[in-house]
Amino acid sequence: MPGWKKNLYILWVCDFIMGMGFQLSMPFMSLYIKTLGHFDRFQLNMWSGLAFSATYLVSSWMAPIWGKIADRHGRKKVMLISTIGDGAMVLCMAFVQHAYQLALFRLLQGFFAGYVANTSALIASEVPTKHSGKALSTLSTGTTGGMLVGPLFGGVIASLCGYRLTFFLTGLAYLIVFTLTIFFVKEHNFTPVPKSQTLSARKLFRQLEYPQVVLGMLVTTLIIQAGNNSIAPVISLYVQQLLHGKGQVDLMSGLIAALPGIATIIIAPIFGEWGDRIGTQKILIGGLIFAILVYIPQAFVTNVWQLAVLRFLVGISDAALLPQVQSLLAKYSPNEYSGRIFSYNQSAQFLGNIFGPLIGSTISGIFGYGGVFLSTACLVGGNLIWVRSSTRKIR
C-alpha cells in the first residue's frame, strides 16, 4: 500500500476522533455553565456565547500561524503539538469553578487549532494529483462524521456520568490521536521552507500560478460555512413552528440538524472521484447550483418531513462543495506552502462558523425563518458568480 494511503486511513480515524471530541461538550455547554454560578437569563446567554465563540475567534487567527510553522518544521510536528495543547485545555475544563475560567480555557483551546488543517495539507502534498479529489473528499468525511456523532455521544455520557467526566473522556480521545499520529503517520518527501525564504501572505499569493483560484476558494469556504450554520440558531424554533408546538421538537431538531452530515459522509467520496475524472471545478459549480435549488424551497415547507428531505439534499450539495474546494487548493498550491494555504482555508471555515449564526439570527428576527433560507440562497448565488469568474482561466 502506498505511504499516502496508509496516512489517509490513519488520519481519517484521527480526524473523526478530533471532530467528535470537539463536539462532545456542545449539547450541554450552557447547562454546564449554569452549574458554575447563579446567573440570570442575560448572564447565562452571555457566558454561553463567549464559551461557544471564543474558540472559533482565536482559531481563525492562529490557523495561518500554525500553517507557517508547519511549512517550516513539518506538518506532523504541528499536529502533535496541537493535539497535546488541545487535550490539556479540555482536561482543564473539567476542573473549572467559575464561568470565566471555562471561557478562558475555551479561548486558549483556540490557540491549538492546527490539527485538521495539517492533515489535509499532509495528504495534499503526498497524494498523486489524479487521486487528490477522492483522497481529500474521503478525509473530509472523517471530521464530518466525528462532528455528527459527537453531540450524541456527549449527551449520552453527560446524562449517565455527569458533565465533568465528558471532558476527561475527550482528553483521553485526544491522547489516542496523539499516539496514532506519533507512531503510525509518516511524513514523506517533506522539504522545509527556511525562515529566510518564508514569504508574507501577499508575496505568497503573488508566487501562485492561479492566485485568483486560491482566493476564490477561501471565500467559497467562508460562504459555504456561513450558509450551513445560518440555520443553527433557529432550527429548533422552525421545527417547533412546523410541528405547531406538538410532538418531540428536540428529537426532530436533532435529526434534521444531523441529516446534512449523514448525506455528506455517503456522497463526498463519490463526488471526489467524479471530480478527478471530469474536473473538480465542474463538480463545485454544479454543487453551488444545486445548493441554490434546495435552499429556496426550505423557506416554503409546510411540514417537518419536507424540511427533512431538503436538509438531506443540502448535505448532498455540501459533498460537492468543501471537499472540492480542498481539491482545488491542493492542485493549485505548491507543496512547500500547502500548510499555510490549508490553514487559511481553516480560518475561513472558522469565520463562517461565527458569521453564519449571526446572519441567521439577524435575518430571522427581521424577515422570519423563511428569510434565512432565501438569504442563504442569495449568498450562494453570489458565490457561484465568484467561482465561475475565478476558475474560468484554469486548465
Side-chain angles (χ1 to χ4, degrees), residues 118-154:
N118 280 288
T119 62
S120 299
L122 191 150
I123 294 298
S125 64
E126 296 182 350
V127 64
T129 302
K130 63 180 180 179
H131 298 304
S132 62
K134 185 176 181 180
L136 289 169
S137 297
T138 301
L139 183 65
S140 70
T141 64
T143 307
T144 302
M147 296 182 73
L148 187 64
V149 303
L152 175 61
F153 285 174

mmCIF file of all heavy atoms in Angstrom, residues 118-154:
data_model
loop_
_atom_site.group_PDB
_atom_site.id
_atom_site.type_symbol
_atom_site.label_atom_id
_atom_site.label_comp_id
_atom_site.label_asym_id
_atom_site.label_seq_id
_atom_site.Cartn_x
_atom_site.Cartn_y
_atom_site.Cartn_z
ATOM 1 N N ASN A 118 -3.726 20.591 8.978
ATOM 2 C CA ASN A 118 -2.457 19.999 8.573
ATOM 3 C C ASN A 118 -2.584 18.551 8.156
ATOM 4 O O ASN A 118 -1.711 18.035 7.455
ATOM 5 C CB ASN A 118 -1.426 20.164 9.695
ATOM 6 C CG ASN A 118 -0.810 21.551 9.701
ATOM 7 O OD1 ASN A 118 -0.019 21.883 8.829
ATOM 8 N ND2 ASN A 118 -1.198 22.373 10.655
ATOM 9 N N THR A 119 -3.655 17.861 8.558
ATOM 10 C CA THR A 119 -3.890 16.539 7.965
ATOM 11 C C THR A 119 -4.206 16.693 6.482
ATOM 12 O O THR A 119 -3.715 15.918 5.650
ATOM 13 C CB THR A 119 -5.048 15.805 8.672
ATOM 14 O OG1 THR A 119 -6.271 16.540 8.516
ATOM 15 C CG2 THR A 119 -4.771 15.612 10.157
ATOM 16 N N SER A 120 -5.011 17.705 6.154
ATOM 17 C CA SER A 120 -5.316 17.960 4.740
ATOM 18 C C SER A 120 -4.056 18.366 3.979
ATOM 19 O O SER A 120 -3.836 17.910 2.842
ATOM 20 C CB SER A 120 -6.379 19.057 4.623
ATOM 21 O OG SER A 120 -7.580 18.682 5.248
ATOM 22 N N ALA A 121 -3.234 19.219 4.597
ATOM 23 C CA ALA A 121 -2.009 19.657 3.933
ATOM 24 C C ALA A 121 -1.052 18.496 3.714
ATOM 25 O O ALA A 121 -0.417 18.387 2.654
ATOM 26 C CB ALA A 121 -1.335 20.749 4.778
ATOM 27 N N LEU A 122 -0.953 17.602 4.697
ATOM 28 C CA LEU A 122 -0.043 16.462 4.570
ATOM 29 C C LEU A 122 -0.497 15.534 3.442
ATOM 30 O O LEU A 122 0.314 15.125 2.599
ATOM 31 C CB LEU A 122 0.023 15.714 5.907
ATOM 32 C CG LEU A 122 1.122 14.650 6.047
ATOM 33 C CD1 LEU A 122 1.580 14.519 7.501
ATOM 34 C CD2 LEU A 122 0.638 13.280 5.564
ATOM 35 N N ILE A 123 -1.789 15.209 3.416
ATOM 36 C CA ILE A 123 -2.290 14.334 2.351
ATOM 37 C C ILE A 123 -2.179 15.023 1.000
ATOM 38 O O ILE A 123 -1.786 14.405 -0.008
ATOM 39 C CB ILE A 123 -3.751 13.929 2.631
ATOM 40 C CG1 ILE A 123 -3.842 13.065 3.884
ATOM 41 C CG2 ILE A 123 -4.345 13.188 1.432
ATOM 42 C CD1 ILE A 123 -3.082 11.760 3.791
ATOM 43 N N ALA A 124 -2.511 16.312 0.938
ATOM 44 C CA ALA A 124 -2.457 17.045 -0.329
ATOM 45 C C ALA A 124 -1.048 17.079 -0.907
ATOM 46 O O ALA A 124 -0.866 17.051 -2.133
ATOM 47 C CB ALA A 124 -2.972 18.469 -0.131
ATOM 48 N N SER A 125 -0.036 17.115 -0.047
ATOM 49 C CA SER A 125 1.352 17.194 -0.513
ATOM 50 C C SER A 125 1.900 15.841 -0.963
ATOM 51 O O SER A 125 2.945 15.777 -1.605
ATOM 52 C CB SER A 125 2.247 17.753 0.597
ATOM 53 O OG SER A 125 2.275 16.876 1.718
ATOM 54 N N GLU A 126 1.182 14.734 -0.632
ATOM 55 C CA GLU A 126 1.698 13.400 -0.945
ATOM 56 C C GLU A 126 0.875 12.641 -1.981
ATOM 57 O O GLU A 126 1.413 11.823 -2.724
ATOM 58 C CB GLU A 126 1.753 12.560 0.345
ATOM 59 C CG GLU A 126 2.726 13.099 1.385
ATOM 60 C CD GLU A 126 2.795 12.230 2.627
ATOM 61 O OE1 GLU A 126 1.953 11.311 2.759
ATOM 62 O OE2 GLU A 126 3.698 12.442 3.447
ATOM 63 N N VAL A 127 -0.417 12.892 -2.032
ATOM 64 C CA VAL A 127 -1.277 12.114 -2.928
ATOM 65 C C VAL A 127 -1.011 12.493 -4.384
ATOM 66 O O VAL A 127 -0.808 13.669 -4.696
ATOM 67 C CB VAL A 127 -2.762 12.343 -2.555
ATOM 68 C CG1 VAL A 127 -3.160 13.796 -2.765
ATOM 69 C CG2 VAL A 127 -3.672 11.434 -3.370
ATOM 70 N N PRO A 128 -0.975 11.524 -5.282
ATOM 71 C CA PRO A 128 -0.869 11.858 -6.715
ATOM 72 C C PRO A 128 -2.045 12.726 -7.156
ATOM 73 O O PRO A 128 -3.168 12.549 -6.676
ATOM 74 C CB PRO A 128 -0.923 10.485 -7.394
ATOM 75 C CG PRO A 128 -0.470 9.510 -6.344
ATOM 76 C CD PRO A 128 -0.958 10.065 -5.047
ATOM 77 N N THR A 129 -1.781 13.654 -8.041
ATOM 78 C CA THR A 129 -2.803 14.611 -8.450
ATOM 79 C C THR A 129 -4.068 13.928 -8.963
ATOM 80 O O THR A 129 -5.184 14.386 -8.702
ATOM 81 C CB THR A 129 -2.242 15.539 -9.548
ATOM 82 O OG1 THR A 129 -1.084 16.209 -9.045
ATOM 83 C CG2 THR A 129 -3.271 16.577 -9.957
ATOM 84 N N LYS A 130 -3.914 12.802 -9.662
ATOM 85 C CA LYS A 130 -5.089 12.135 -10.246
ATOM 86 C C LYS A 130 -5.998 11.525 -9.185
ATOM 87 O O LYS A 130 -7.145 11.164 -9.482
ATOM 88 C CB LYS A 130 -4.643 11.060 -11.231
ATOM 89 C CG LYS A 130 -3.833 9.923 -10.603
ATOM 90 C CD LYS A 130 -3.432 8.906 -11.658
ATOM 91 C CE LYS A 130 -2.608 7.766 -11.047
ATOM 92 N NZ LYS A 130 -2.224 6.765 -12.052
ATOM 93 N N HIS A 131 -5.491 11.406 -7.942
ATOM 94 C CA HIS A 131 -6.308 10.852 -6.862
ATOM 95 C C HIS A 131 -6.641 11.881 -5.781
ATOM 96 O O HIS A 131 -7.256 11.520 -4.773
ATOM 97 C CB HIS A 131 -5.576 9.675 -6.202
ATOM 98 C CG HIS A 131 -5.302 8.510 -7.109
ATOM 99 N ND1 HIS A 131 -6.301 7.856 -7.795
ATOM 100 C CD2 HIS A 131 -4.135 7.896 -7.441
ATOM 101 C CE1 HIS A 131 -5.770 6.880 -8.508
ATOM 102 N NE2 HIS A 131 -4.454 6.888 -8.323
ATOM 103 N N SER A 132 -6.231 13.120 -5.976
ATOM 104 C CA SER A 132 -6.353 14.103 -4.891
ATOM 105 C C SER A 132 -7.802 14.383 -4.529
ATOM 106 O O SER A 132 -8.139 14.566 -3.352
ATOM 107 C CB SER A 132 -5.645 15.408 -5.269
ATOM 108 O OG SER A 132 -6.237 15.996 -6.412
ATOM 109 N N GLY A 133 -8.684 14.431 -5.519
ATOM 110 C CA GLY A 133 -10.088 14.728 -5.235
ATOM 111 C C GLY A 133 -10.721 13.691 -4.326
ATOM 112 O O GLY A 133 -11.321 14.021 -3.302
ATOM 113 N N LYS A 134 -10.568 12.415 -4.697
ATOM 114 C CA LYS A 134 -11.171 11.356 -3.886
ATOM 115 C C LYS A 134 -10.518 11.281 -2.510
ATOM 116 O O LYS A 134 -11.199 11.079 -1.493
ATOM 117 C CB LYS A 134 -11.049 10.008 -4.601
ATOM 118 C CG LYS A 134 -11.763 8.890 -3.863
ATOM 119 C CD LYS A 134 -11.711 7.571 -4.624
ATOM 120 C CE LYS A 134 -12.467 6.482 -3.854
ATOM 121 N NZ LYS A 134 -12.443 5.183 -4.568
ATOM 122 N N ALA A 135 -9.189 11.435 -2.452
ATOM 123 C CA ALA A 135 -8.477 11.327 -1.180
ATOM 124 C C ALA A 135 -8.916 12.419 -0.199
ATOM 125 O O ALA A 135 -9.227 12.138 0.968
ATOM 126 C CB ALA A 135 -6.968 11.395 -1.410
ATOM 127 N N LEU A 136 -8.950 13.655 -0.659
ATOM 128 C CA LEU A 136 -9.320 14.758 0.230
ATOM 129 C C LEU A 136 -10.805 14.727 0.571
ATOM 130 O O LEU A 136 -11.198 15.109 1.685
ATOM 131 C CB LEU A 136 -8.945 16.091 -0.416
ATOM 132 C CG LEU A 136 -7.442 16.350 -0.482
ATOM 133 C CD1 LEU A 136 -7.138 17.553 -1.365
ATOM 134 C CD2 LEU A 136 -6.863 16.585 0.912
ATOM 135 N N SER A 137 -11.634 14.272 -0.358
ATOM 136 C CA SER A 137 -13.060 14.134 -0.057
ATOM 137 C C SER A 137 -13.277 13.065 1.007
ATOM 138 O O SER A 137 -14.079 13.245 1.929
ATOM 139 C CB SER A 137 -13.840 13.771 -1.320
ATOM 140 O OG SER A 137 -13.759 14.801 -2.288
ATOM 141 N N THR A 138 -12.560 11.962 0.875
ATOM 142 C CA THR A 138 -12.657 10.901 1.877
ATOM 143 C C THR A 138 -12.177 11.393 3.236
ATOM 144 O O THR A 138 -12.818 11.135 4.269
ATOM 145 C CB THR A 138 -11.837 9.674 1.441
ATOM 146 O OG1 THR A 138 -12.324 9.194 0.184
ATOM 147 C CG2 THR A 138 -11.923 8.559 2.468
ATOM 148 N N LEU A 139 -11.056 12.100 3.251
ATOM 149 C CA LEU A 139 -10.524 12.620 4.515
ATOM 150 C C LEU A 139 -11.520 13.556 5.187
ATOM 151 O O LEU A 139 -11.689 13.525 6.411
ATOM 152 C CB LEU A 139 -9.203 13.344 4.259
ATOM 153 C CG LEU A 139 -8.479 13.884 5.501
ATOM 154 C CD1 LEU A 139 -8.039 12.737 6.400
ATOM 155 C CD2 LEU A 139 -7.268 14.727 5.088
ATOM 156 N N SER A 140 -12.198 14.378 4.403
ATOM 157 C CA SER A 140 -13.136 15.338 4.972
ATOM 158 C C SER A 140 -14.310 14.662 5.666
ATOM 159 O O SER A 140 -14.894 15.223 6.597
ATOM 160 C CB SER A 140 -13.658 16.290 3.891
ATOM 161 O OG SER A 140 -14.525 15.620 2.994
ATOM 162 N N THR A 141 -14.660 13.455 5.215
ATOM 163 C CA THR A 141 -15.772 12.757 5.861
ATOM 164 C C THR A 141 -15.420 12.316 7.269
ATOM 165 O O THR A 141 -16.315 12.064 8.082
ATOM 166 C CB THR A 141 -16.215 11.531 5.046
ATOM 167 O OG1 THR A 141 -15.142 10.568 4.995
ATOM 168 C CG2 THR A 141 -16.604 11.919 3.632
ATOM 169 N N GLY A 142 -14.135 12.191 7.584
ATOM 170 C CA GLY A 142 -13.736 11.838 8.942
ATOM 171 C C GLY A 142 -14.155 12.895 9.942
ATOM 172 O O GLY A 142 -14.814 12.608 10.951
ATOM 173 N N THR A 143 -13.798 14.151 9.668
ATOM 174 C CA THR A 143 -14.177 15.244 10.554
ATOM 175 C C THR A 143 -15.692 15.412 10.603
ATOM 176 O O THR A 143 -16.281 15.593 11.671
ATOM 177 C CB THR A 143 -13.538 16.557 10.078
ATOM 178 O OG1 THR A 143 -12.128 16.370 9.920
ATOM 179 C CG2 THR A 143 -13.775 17.666 11.091
ATOM 180 N N THR A 144 -16.329 15.323 9.428
ATOM 181 C CA THR A 144 -17.790 15.468 9.378
ATOM 182 C C THR A 144 -18.480 14.391 10.204
ATOM 183 O O THR A 144 -19.409 14.671 10.975
ATOM 184 C CB THR A 144 -18.276 15.395 7.927
ATOM 185 O OG1 THR A 144 -17.643 16.419 7.156
ATOM 186 C CG2 THR A 144 -19.782 15.583 7.849
ATOM 187 N N GLY A 145 -18.025 13.135 10.043
ATOM 188 C CA GLY A 145 -18.620 12.047 10.800
ATOM 189 C C GLY A 145 -18.425 12.215 12.296
ATOM 190 O O GLY A 145 -19.346 11.965 13.090
ATOM 191 N N GLY A 146 -17.226 12.634 12.706
ATOM 192 C CA GLY A 146 -16.967 12.845 14.128
ATOM 193 C C GLY A 146 -17.839 13.934 14.724
ATOM 194 O O GLY A 146 -18.381 13.785 15.823
ATOM 195 N N MET A 147 -17.975 15.033 13.994
ATOM 196 C CA MET A 147 -18.797 16.142 14.488
ATOM 197 C C MET A 147 -20.279 15.764 14.502
ATOM 198 O O MET A 147 -21.060 16.330 15.269
ATOM 199 C CB MET A 147 -18.569 17.375 13.615
ATOM 200 C CG MET A 147 -17.150 17.908 13.693
ATOM 201 S SD MET A 147 -16.846 19.393 12.715
ATOM 202 C CE MET A 147 -17.712 20.614 13.684
ATOM 203 N N LEU A 148 -20.636 14.783 13.669
ATOM 204 C CA LEU A 148 -22.024 14.342 13.629
ATOM 205 C C LEU A 148 -22.381 13.511 14.856
ATOM 206 O O LEU A 148 -23.426 13.716 15.479
ATOM 207 C CB LEU A 148 -22.253 13.527 12.355
ATOM 208 C CG LEU A 148 -23.679 13.095 12.028
ATOM 209 C CD1 LEU A 148 -24.549 14.313 11.768
ATOM 210 C CD2 LEU A 148 -23.667 12.175 10.814
ATOM 211 N N VAL A 149 -21.514 12.561 15.219
ATOM 212 C CA VAL A 149 -21.823 11.680 16.350
ATOM 213 C C VAL A 149 -21.396 12.274 17.684
ATOM 214 O O VAL A 149 -21.840 11.815 18.737
ATOM 215 C CB VAL A 149 -21.167 10.296 16.164
ATOM 216 C CG1 VAL A 149 -21.608 9.656 14.876
ATOM 217 C CG2 VAL A 149 -19.647 10.386 16.222
ATOM 218 N N GLY A 150 -20.536 13.295 17.660
ATOM 219 C CA GLY A 150 -20.051 13.897 18.902
ATOM 220 C C GLY A 150 -21.154 14.364 19.837
ATOM 221 O O GLY A 150 -21.177 13.996 21.020
ATOM 222 N N PRO A 151 -22.094 15.200 19.358
ATOM 223 C CA PRO A 151 -23.170 15.655 20.251
ATOM 224 C C PRO A 151 -24.002 14.507 20.818
ATOM 225 O O PRO A 151 -24.429 14.564 21.974
ATOM 226 C CB PRO A 151 -24.017 16.549 19.335
ATOM 227 C CG PRO A 151 -23.072 17.017 18.284
ATOM 228 C CD PRO A 151 -22.149 15.861 18.051
ATOM 229 N N LEU A 152 -24.212 13.462 20.019
ATOM 230 C CA LEU A 152 -24.985 12.317 20.500
ATOM 231 C C LEU A 152 -24.253 11.620 21.637
ATOM 232 O O LEU A 152 -24.818 11.375 22.710
ATOM 233 C CB LEU A 152 -25.230 11.341 19.346
ATOM 234 C CG LEU A 152 -25.926 10.021 19.714
ATOM 235 C CD1 LEU A 152 -27.310 10.291 20.283
ATOM 236 C CD2 LEU A 152 -26.001 9.105 18.493
ATOM 237 N N PHE A 153 -22.971 11.296 21.433
ATOM 238 C CA PHE A 153 -22.192 10.646 22.477
ATOM 239 C C PHE A 153 -22.053 11.545 23.702
ATOM 240 O O PHE A 153 -22.150 11.080 24.842
ATOM 241 C CB PHE A 153 -20.802 10.276 21.944
ATOM 242 C CG PHE A 153 -20.797 9.096 21.028
ATOM 243 C CD1 PHE A 153 -19.644 8.707 20.375
ATOM 244 C CD2 PHE A 153 -21.950 8.361 20.800
ATOM 245 C CE1 PHE A 153 -19.632 7.613 19.527
ATOM 246 C CE2 PHE A 153 -21.956 7.268 19.946
ATOM 247 C CZ PHE A 153 -20.801 6.897 19.305
ATOM 248 N N GLY A 154 -21.814 12.840 23.455
ATOM 249 C CA GLY A 154 -21.649 13.769 24.562
ATOM 250 C C GLY A 154 -22.884 13.854 25.432
ATOM 251 O O GLY A 154 -22.807 13.867 26.671
#
